[in-house]
Amino acid sequence: MPIRLALVGIGKIAQDQHIPALQANKSFELVAAVSRSGGIENLPCFADIGDLLASGLDVEAVSLATPPQGRHAIARAALEAGLHVMLEKPPAATVSEVADLAARARDAGVALFATWHSREAASVDAARKWLAGKTLRSARIDWREDIRVWHPGQEWILQPGGLGVFDPGINALSIATAILPEALLLQSARLEFPANRQAPIAAELSLRSGETPVEAAFDFLQTGPQSWDIVVETDAGRLVLSDGGQRLAIDGAEVSAGANEEYPRLYRRFASLVRENASDVDLTPLQLVADAFLLGERIEASPFSF
């Protein structure tokens, strides 16, 4: 029998990614939406998680695609009701919130899946396998995109808890922590905050993976060509992972990859976790962002408006 699932938060990412992935996955039956701003055609829509739980609708799992601020309360209510929970990235507003949810899922005997969709990009697995056993010399992350194109009018991203440029930048950190053979540790950070905002619009991080220096630059004001690239120099050549993990090249030669199925792969993994009553909660990318806020030098930048 398919897992009866409700999708919480019907915004752009839900419309673009979650709904198509769910509709194509026979392990799930999408039975309801939870949103104050829009629903899903031909499905009941509830204003909040409390209304869903009180309705008596037969639901086994929820997938949360809401902004991270306030997500802990939604997930906690679902877990306490015995539902399995999948979390869009970043999994919550703070590291401690996710740790609390992981403990509650364990106590309740249900699945909790903190997802990092960019780890499921087409070439990430191949990059990790190629780097294994190599001597790394340096790595560089460039994650530059136009906030007005990719997040039009999404004020929450630049509010406290919205992560600012780390909302896309955490995707790069999720990939880097998956492909680099040793733990990624922050050394220093420089964060640019618009004078009228509470989250950074740009950031530069210096990190280290073992003895390998790793430099990262994140920019939310990139115009023209956008870039989501990771370059690793090794004793066996240069690895370039581009387009957010979709494309891989070794010393300039393209390595063929399969179809890019980030969200279908996430939902296949979630179905497996639900059947096993198991959890998959990796806090590492969120912890690195928290470390950047702890160590980062704060620079005031020009005011920003959408």
Side-chain angles (χ1 to χ4, degrees):
M1 294 291 291
I3 301 160
R4 294 173 59 83
L5 180 141
L7 184 58
V8 184
I10 312 298
K12 188 175 187 302
I13 195 67
Q15 297 284 357
D16 292 349
Q17 301 292 347
H18 288 264
I19 294 173
L22 281 164
Q23 291 175 338
N25 191 324
K26 294 182 179 179
S27 292
F28 292 97
E29 179 184 358
L30 184 55
V31 297
V34 178
S35 175
R36 289 190 174 90
S37 58
I40 302 172
E41 188 176 2
N42 298 323
L43 292 182
C45 183
F46 301 90
D48 55 41
I49 189 70
D51 287 348
L52 170 67
L53 297 175
S55 71
L57 185 69
D58 181 14
V59 178
E60 299 169 82
V62 293
S63 181
L64 307 191
T66 60
Q69 305 98 313
R71 193 182 292 167
H72 175 268
I74 301 171
R76 175 179 173 173
L79 292 171
E80 290 178 345
L83 303 185
H84 307 283
V85 176
M86 175 168 153
L87 304 170
E88 174 61 70
K89 67 85 191 169
T94 69
V95 173
S96 57
E97 285 184 347
V98 188
D100 178 69
L101 293 176
R104 292 178 183 278
R106 184 174 59 250
D107 292 344
V110 295
L112 178 67
F113 185 21
T115 68
W116 301 105
H117 67 81
S118 289
R119 287 181 175 174
E120 307 301 330
S123 293
V124 171
D125 287 344
R128 179 177 59 251
K129 291 175 182 176
W130 189 85
L131 287 172
K134 305 290 192 304
T135 298
L136 276 57
R137 294 172 176 161
S138 67
R140 172 78 188 181
I141 298 168
D142 280 291
W143 228 252
R144 305 173 186 273
E145 65 180 59
D146 189 339
I147 185 175
R148 294 184 176 94
V149 172
W150 298 99
H151 303 278
Q154 294 181 20
E155 298 281 349
W156 63 267
I157 289 181
L158 293 173
Q159 294 171 353
L163 299 191
V165 75
F166 288 118
D167 180 78
I170 205 169
N171 293 330
L173 297 174
S174 74
I175 294 173
T177 53
I179 67 173
L180 296 177
E182 296 191 65
L184 194 58
L185 304 176
L186 183 70
Q187 306 297 297
S188 64
R190 183 179 186 273
L191 313 179
E192 296 185 19
F193 287 74
N196 60 335
R197 301 288 179 169
Q198 296 299 312
I201 201 83
E204 295 179 1
L205 308 185
S206 291
L207 310 104
R208 187 165 293 277
S209 175
E211 296 302 314
T212 306
V214 180
E215 298 296 322
F218 307 105
D219 187 0
F220 237 165
L221 298 177
Q222 176 77 2
T223 57
Q226 313 282 283
S227 61
W228 303 279
D229 306 325
I230 298 176
V231 178
V232 185
E233 303 285 355
T234 80
D235 62 339
R238 170 184 285 190
L239 175 147
V240 178
L241 195 57
S242 57
D243 289 352
Q246 295 187 43
R247 297 173 55 203
L248 175 64
I250 306 297
D251 286 337
E254 194 91 7
V255 177
S256 62
N260 201 53
E261 296 186 311
E262 295 180 16
Y263 282 83
R265 287 183 61 173
L266 289 178
Y267 276 103
R268 288 197 290 270
R269 173 65 173 154
F270 186 41
S272 176
L273 292 171
V274 168
R275 294 189 183 101
E276 297 168 5
N277 284 331
S279 291
D280 182 348
V281 181
D282 179 11
L283 287 169
T284 310
L286 184 60
Q287 183 65 68
L288 285 169
V289 172
D291 290 348
F293 280 97
L294 280 171
L295 286 181
E297 175 189 5
R298 178 171 178 147
I299 307 298
E300 185 172 297
S302 300
F304 173 83
S305 59
F306 283 95

